[in-house]
Amino acid sequence: MTITPVLLCGGSGTRLWPLSRKSYPKQFVKLLGDESLFQASAKRLTGEGFAPPLIVTGSDFRFIVTEQLAAAGIDPGAILIEPEGRNTAPAVLAAALWLEQSDPEALMLVAPSDHVIPDDDAFRVVVETGAAAAEAGRLVTFGITPDRAETGYGWLELKAAPEGPAEAMELLRFVEKPDAAAAQDMLEQGRFLWNAGIFLFKVSTILAAFRAHAPSLLEPVGAAVAQGKADLGFLRLDPEVWSEAENISIDYAVMEKADNISAVPFGAGWSDLGDWHAVWREMESDADGIATSGPATAIECTDTLLRSESGDMEVVGIGLKDTVVIALPDAVLVADATRTQDVKQAVALLKEKGAKQATAFPRDHRPWGWFETLALSDRFQVKRIVVHPGASLSLQSHHHRSEHWVVVQGTAKVTVDEVEKLLTENQSVYIPLGAVHRMENPGKVPMVLIEVQTGAYLGEDDIVRYEDIYARE
Amino acid sequence: MTITPVLLCGGSGTRLWPLSRKSYPKQFVKLLGDESLFQASAKRLTGEGFAPPLIVTGSDFRFIVTEQLAAAGIDPGAILIEPEGRNTAPAVLAAALWLEQSDPEALMLVAPSDHVIPDDDAFRVVVETGAAAAEAGRLVTFGITPDRAETGYGWLELKAAPEGPAEAMELLRFVEKPDAAAAQDMLEQGRFLWNAGIFLFKVSTILAAFRAHAPSLLEPVGAAVAQGKADLGFLRLDPEVWSEAENISIDYAVMEKADNISAVPFGAGWSDLGDWHAVWREMESDADGIATSGPATAIECTDTLLRSESGDMEVVGIGLKDTVVIALPDAVLVADATRTQDVKQAVALLKEKGAKQATAFPRDHRPWGWFETLALSDRFQVKRIVVHPGASLSLQSHHHRSEHWVVVQGTAKVTVDEVEKLLTENQSVYIPLGAVHRMENPGKVPMVLIEVQTGAYLGEDDIVRYEDIYARE
């Protein structure tokens, strides 16, 4: 019995701004420890009993996905690219239709990739429990044993309170996000779990459920998969028909209507890290409730989260109480801990005033690696460019700028007009305005290059592409 | 009647960290508006009735002083360099002895350079009032009309409460920093002023007072001035005898003992900007008590100071109350507003753990301009170097690093071993390891250069100096 993990990672939440931004959202960030949530989610579902994962993500994130999987040593089974986010129902359906091609009776485990489950082993135990029910034709959902009257989640109502080791139990209904009194009541009754959005079923079971409860999705999503274009190892779903699929969650489209649902309780720890308060809960705090990460110093604070997201940035809190401080070199958030849900509002305000920090990080991830601006002035710009081993930038030229390249790590293969040469650490080359040029990393280690641009216009859009192995225009 | 301003700017306070640091303290920082406190202090005492100022500062700050005076269009009369800080009495005595050489009957106005006095004209009016008393042989101090029961300052007790326009009044005594009750009592009595450390007297009057009340200072300070070495337009007091002068304030050494003191009340606004709370008081706040500077956004905050000290750094506060946030790209302070006096403690802690941010800014000011590190790695470093027109770095070589220089603004005259050449915007040169080299700015505008260093050791101390127009070793 092999389970195919289906990891949903198309989200671009802003509630953990400034560390999560549209260009590089929460699931890819190292929020806790040395791995991103996405990497931890993928690792959790590897090993005996698991097939390579199927990833569903957005076009902007496709190279982040491959980079992070490679770093984690995981080979994806396939990567489906959603042309735009249409919520979870179309994503799950696309995954099911894709898997049906090879095995209609395969088990698929659908999970968000931006949650934290500290105890992987405990989770794999309940997955085994759920797998038996899924094999028997049930739609299995994993519900979290609640430890507080949380109003921010949907809940699951069981027929009876779970007892003894986890087992698949009959689900009475899905409960919408409750008010405080209802949440308290459910917590006390003991028959209710949090809905974590984690599901396990056979491909054939969920397809039957879609046909029964959400038939209108079958045509557009089916066509988007069938007409999908294989592109550098990704399957890019057809954008036109995809856009006709209803924007709806799997809960609304299918789960709340189906009558063959089982729930398996999971009580070994889980968080959706939905805001900074939730992150703080998952971090280690001292006796005064102080949690820190990076070079951060708390002086006579209580119940305070201090995060410095750069090793070169000292953060100091003095006399703070119930406060959250998240500091990056280009953006700092300081919030009352009870107001961390309002971070969305802050991002909206920054967007309104045109601040690039609302959506973008200083590091710009590209298929070939990443770059960041070290200094920017009217007539010059300095960038650090990191190119993955074997990767190559497009063959290009610029109308308005010249460039000096100095290799500071690894080896670069550089093309300038008709000349091709290898540069190693401490060697440089000049790219005159208008010259057709390309930079590659033919080596086995990352290549780092300092680029000094001069010119009257230094925008990213001053680029004429002649060839690009990543099929960009 | 001409007054020589004597500006004391040797201080290196840490209470406004992270914006004030030992390497570039408060008086040189643009805390309010477009000028540093030092520049504003110097400008306040220029124009009709004022001679060029005499500056007393530390060796580390001498080029900051000349740079800031030049930018403000002020020619200093002289700059005395204290080999080490010995508090205000030796500094004032040295200034008096220096001025005595040209005119023993000159009036000198001694003022700190890190205070703010928003109304320059009103201040010059009371200076005129004081000048008459000083001419008549009085030691005049300017006292600030108090508007709160401040325990952080010393106070001045007058014989009677001032009435009508400011006049020189008889001073009964200096009052040490009081407790809250005593401060409240003094505030209510109306006969008390704050001691702002601003004095006006004839050179001969203060020298007589030193001879009468602090005779032991005369020998070491006199010798330090007499044996001082003229050095690039500065007078460097002799360090050996200077170190024998008692470390004592002018208040303790002279003022509290003298019987010829007059006080002139000044009520048009003053602050010593002694901590962030004081800075906030001087900034413009909205109806909710929110003051911001730089790209800072306050969402439902009250009584909160949000400062972003970089145009590239967005600071967001949500739901804060009585909070101070000061953000720089390398250091962030978040403090309860009632605890801003504890910033000193934070700096001490950072020093203990060896954080460079405790004392140094990313921008390193040198006699020829400044530099900052844009990127630093094990084997490479990228710097932005800005050289003033006419300035020149030392002729030097390195044992452990090679350098690539790319000029991005202005013109550089570059010497590499035997070869000298001019580089302009978009031109570069390579400095091999061991080569003897120099960089100069022969032009009329600042020259900006990007330096990319590679090597196994990149410390500032890997430098062999052959010639230096600033007499450094």
Side-chain angles (χ1 to χ4, degrees):
Chain A
M1 190 166 68
T2 302
I3 297 170
T4 299
V6 175
L7 287 169
L8 307 179
C9 55
S12 61
T14 56
R15 288 186 298 171
L16 296 184
W17 185 91
L19 197 54
S20 171
R21 305 186 198 175
K22 191 164 175 270
S23 75
Y24 204 85
K26 178 187 166 194
Q27 60 268 32
F28 301 117
V29 171
K30 288 172 187 163
L31 261 170
L32 300 167
D34 287 339
E35 289 174 333
S36 73
L37 299 174
F38 168 64
Q39 287 173 316
S41 301
K43 275 194 171 174
R44 188 176 303 125
L45 304 172
T46 52
E48 211 192 310
F50 291 103
L54 173 61
I55 314 291
V56 185
T57 191
S59 184
D60 289 349
F61 307 142
R62 64 198 197 280
F63 294 107
I64 305 177
V65 162
T66 50
E67 193 182 323
Q68 293 209 344
L69 286 177
I74 295 173
D75 268 327
I79 300 176
L80 304 188
I81 306 217
E82 300 170 286
E84 58 179 307
R86 306 296 289 169
N87 211 327
T88 48
V92 172
L93 178 54
L97 290 169
W98 173 260
L99 291 174
E100 187 191 26
Q101 298 170 9
S102 49
D103 180 7
E105 296 310 303
L107 286 177
M108 57 190 280
L109 187 145
V110 175
S113 60
D114 60 348
H115 294 181
V116 62
I117 295 177
D119 189 342
D120 287 352
D121 290 337
F123 184 67
R124 282 189 287 251
V125 168
V126 298
V127 167
E128 255 178 68
T129 304
E135 279 285 353
R138 306 289 294 179
L139 298 170
V140 177
T141 178
F142 298 90
I144 310 300
T145 312
D147 60 8
R148 59 181 191 274
E150 177 66 55
T151 58
Y153 305 146
W155 294 56
L156 306 171
E157 181 174 2
L158 302 177
K159 209 164 172 180
E163 282 171 38
E167 53 177 334
M169 306 178 69
E170 199 177 326
L171 185 81
L172 287 186
R173 64 179 181 113
F174 284 76
V175 184
E176 299 262 338
K177 290 181 186 177
D179 61 24
Q184 186 59 39
D185 183 50
M186 289 190 284
L187 179 66
E188 284 164 14
Q189 284 200 46
R191 292 188 298 119
F192 293 82
L193 305 171
W194 292 335
N195 179 3
I198 310 173
F199 302 102
L200 179 60
F201 29 63
K202 280 198 295 191
V203 170
S204 59
T205 314
I206 191 69
L207 287 178
F210 270 106
R211 278 191 291 267
H213 307 298
S216 70
L217 284 174
L218 285 160
E219 201 179 296
V221 175
V225 173
Q227 296 163 32
K229 261 174 56 182
D231 169 16
L232 302 168
F234 306 104
L235 181 81
R236 192 183 285 278
L237 301 173
D238 184 90
E240 257 177 64
V241 281
W242 181 258
S243 70
E244 290 163 19
E246 193 185 353
N247 189 328
I248 188 170
S249 76
I250 180 96
D251 289 18
Y252 276 119
V254 174
M255 296 296 164
E256 298 186 1
K257 296 171 183 161
D259 58 3
N260 58 334
I261 303 204
S262 297
V264 180
F266 180 63
W270 165 92
S271 170
D272 74 339
L273 301 178
D275 58 25
W276 282 113
H277 202 265
V279 173
W280 178 12
R281 259 196 308 261
E282 296 303 311
M283 291 172 66
E284 265 180 53
S285 300
D286 69 8
D288 294 322
I290 298 166
T292 65
S293 105
T297 307
I299 299 175
E300 293 177 39
C301 297
T302 51
D303 299 323
T304 284
L305 171 61
L306 294 181
R307 289 182 67 120
S308 166
E309 304 295 344
S310 155
D312 295 327
M313 205 173 176
E314 289 287 343
V315 174
V316 174
I318 302 179
L320 304 178
K321 215 177 153 261
D322 294 321
T323 305
V324 166
V325 180
I326 315 296
L328 279 79
D330 72 332
V332 177
L333 169 73
V334 184
D336 182 276
T338 64
R339 300 289 300 275
T340 53
Q341 295 275 350
D342 296 337
V343 170
K344 276 176 105 103
Q345 188 189 335
V347 176
L349 269 175
L350 290 183
K351 221 166 176 173
E352 233 169 73
K353 75 173 208 179
K356 58 185 186 302
Q357 289 93 335
T359 54
F361 274 103
R363 282 195 183 178
D364 202 332
H365 287 260
R366 297 295 167 108
W368 43 261
W370 56 266
F371 70 86
E372 66 185 342
T373 297
L374 299 175
L376 177 62
S377 178
D378 273 359
R379 293 193 48 88
F380 72 90
Q381 177 166 221
V382 184
K383 284 182 178 177
R384 182 207 310 249
I385 298 176
V386 177
V387 183
H388 299 314
S392 166
L393 277 70
S394 60
L395 185 69
Q396 56 186 244
S397 69
H398 310 293
H399 291 306
H400 300 290
R401 65 180 190 250
S402 315
E403 296 174 350
H404 291 262
W405 294 350
V406 184
V407 175
V408 292
Q409 186 189 301
T411 301
K413 189 164 112 190
V414 169
T415 308
V416 184
D417 289 329
E418 306 305 307
V419 182
E420 193 179 286
K421 57 180 163 181
L422 281 180
L423 299 182
T424 186
E425 187 185 304
N426 194 30
Q427 295 187 315
S428 70
V429 68
Y430 174 62
I431 318 288
L433 191 151
V436 175
H437 58 282
R438 183 204 295 273
M439 164 192 318
E440 294 166 69
N441 178 358
K444 300 293 178 200
V445 297
M447 186 268 284
V448 184
L449 181 146
I450 303 301
E451 175 178 278
V452 181
Q453 308 175 346
T454 50
Y457 177 78
L458 303 166
E460 283 302 315
D461 56 348
D462 174 18
I463 187 164
V464 183
R465 284 211 176 92
Y466 303 93
E467 278 173 40
D468 182 18
I469 62 169
Y470 309 106
R472 296 169 300 174
E473 276 152 21
Chain B
M1 188 170 63
T2 302
I3 297 171
T4 300
V6 175
L7 288 169
L8 307 180
C9 54
S12 60
T14 56
R15 286 186 298 173
L16 296 184
W17 185 90
L19 197 53
S20 170
R21 304 185 199 176
K22 191 164 177 270
S23 74
Y24 204 86
K26 177 186 167 194
Q27 60 269 30
F28 301 117
V29 171
K30 288 171 187 166
L31 263 171
L32 301 167
D34 287 337
E35 288 175 334
S36 73
L37 298 174
F38 168 66
Q39 287 173 316
S41 300
K43 274 195 172 171
R44 188 177 302 125
L45 304 171
T46 53
E48 210 192 310
F50 291 102
L54 174 60
I55 314 291
V56 186
T57 191
S59 184
D60 290 348
F61 309 141
R62 64 200 197 278
F63 294 107
I64 306 178
V65 162
T66 50
E67 193 182 324
Q68 293 209 343
L69 286 176
I74 295 172
D75 267 326
I79 300 176
L80 304 188
I81 308 224
E82 300 170 286
E84 57 179 308
R86 306 296 289 167
N87 211 327
T88 48
V92 172
L93 177 53
L97 290 170
W98 173 262
L99 292 173
E100 188 191 25
Q101 297 169 10
S102 51
D103 180 4
E105 296 310 304
L107 285 176
M108 57 190 280
L109 187 145
V110 175
S113 60
D114 60 349
H115 295 181
V116 61
I117 295 175
D119 189 341
D120 287 353
D121 290 337
F123 184 69
R124 283 190 285 255
V125 168
V126 300
V127 167
E128 254 178 69
T129 306
E135 280 284 353
R138 307 288 295 178
L139 298 170
V140 176
T141 179
F142 298 90
I144 309 299
T145 311
D147 59 10
R148 62 182 187 275
E150 176 65 55
T151 58
Y153 305 145
W155 294 56
L156 305 170
E157 178 173 3
L158 302 177
K159 212 164 169 176
E163 284 172 36
E167 54 177 333
M169 305 179 69
E170 199 177 328
L171 184 80
L172 288 186
R173 64 178 180 114
F174 284 75
V175 184
E176 299 262 339
K177 289 180 185 176
D179 61 24
Q184 186 58 37
D185 182 53
M186 289 190 286
L187 179 66
E188 284 165 14
Q189 284 200 46
R191 289 188 301 118
F192 293 82
L193 305 171
W194 292 336
N195 179 4
I198 310 173
F199 302 102
L200 178 61
F201 28 64
K202 280 199 298 192
V203 170
S204 60
T205 314
I206 191 67
L207 287 178
F210 270 105
R211 277 189 292 267
H213 306 298
S216 70
L217 284 174
L218 285 161
E219 204 179 292
V221 175
V225 173
Q227 296 162 30
K229 261 173 58 182
D231 168 16
L232 302 167
F234 307 103
L235 181 79
R236 190 184 286 277
L237 301 173
D238 185 90
E240 257 176 65
V241 281
W242 180 257
S243 69
E244 290 164 19
E246 193 184 354
N247 190 324
I248 187 170
S249 76
I250 181 95
D251 288 19
Y252 277 120
V254 174
M255 296 297 165
E256 298 187 0
K257 296 169 182 162
D259 58 3
N260 56 334
I261 304 205
S262 296
V264 181
F266 179 64
W270 165 92
S271 170
D272 74 339
L273 302 178
D275 57 26
W276 282 114
H277 202 263
V279 173
W280 178 13
R281 259 195 308 261
E282 295 304 311
M283 290 172 66
E284 264 180 53
S285 300
D286 69 10
D288 294 320
I290 298 165
T292 65
S293 106
T297 307
I299 299 175
E300 292 176 43
C301 298
T302 50
D303 297 324
T304 285
L305 171 62
L306 294 181
R307 288 182 69 119
S308 166
E309 304 295 346
S310 156
D312 295 327
M313 207 174 173
E314 289 287 343
V315 174
V316 174
I318 302 180
L320 303 177
K321 211 175 156 259
D322 293 322
T323 305
V324 167
V325 180
I326 315 297
L328 279 80
D330 71 333
V332 176
L333 170 72
V334 183
D336 181 276
T338 64
R339 300 288 301 275
T340 53
Q341 294 276 348
D342 296 335
V343 170
K344 274 177 106 101
Q345 188 189 335
V347 176
L349 269 174
L350 290 182
K351 221 168 177 171
E352 235 169 72
K353 73 171 208 181
K356 58 187 187 302
Q357 289 92 335
T359 54
F361 274 103
R363 281 196 182 178
D364 201 332
H365 287 260
R366 297 296 166 106
W368 43 262
W370 57 266
F371 69 86
E372 65 184 342
T373 296
L374 299 175
L376 177 61
S377 179
D378 273 0
R379 294 192 49 87
F380 71 90
Q381 178 166 217
V382 184
K383 284 181 177 179
R384 182 208 310 249
I385 298 176
V386 178
V387 183
H388 299 314
S392 165
L393 278 69
S394 61
L395 185 68
Q396 56 186 240
S397 68
H398 310 292
H399 292 305
H400 300 290
R401 66 180 188 248
S402 315
E403 296 175 349
H404 290 262
W405 294 350
V406 183
V407 175
V408 292
Q409 184 189 302
T411 301
K413 190 165 111 189
V414 169
T415 308
V416 183
D417 289 330
E418 307 303 307
V419 182
E420 194 179 286
K421 55 180 165 183
L422 280 182
L423 300 182
T424 185
E425 188 185 302
N426 194 29
Q427 295 186 316
S428 69
V429 68
Y430 174 62
I431 318 289
L433 191 152
V436 175
H437 58 280
R438 184 204 296 273
M439 159 194 322
E440 294 167 69
N441 179 358
K444 298 294 178 200
V445 297
M447 186 269 282
V448 184
L449 180 146
I450 303 300
E451 176 179 278
V452 181
Q453 308 175 345
T454 49
Y457 178 78
L458 303 166
E460 283 303 316
D461 55 348
D462 174 19
I463 187 164
V464 182
R465 283 210 177 93
Y466 303 94
E467 280 173 39
D468 182 19
I469 62 170
Y470 309 107
R472 296 170 300 173
E473 276 154 19

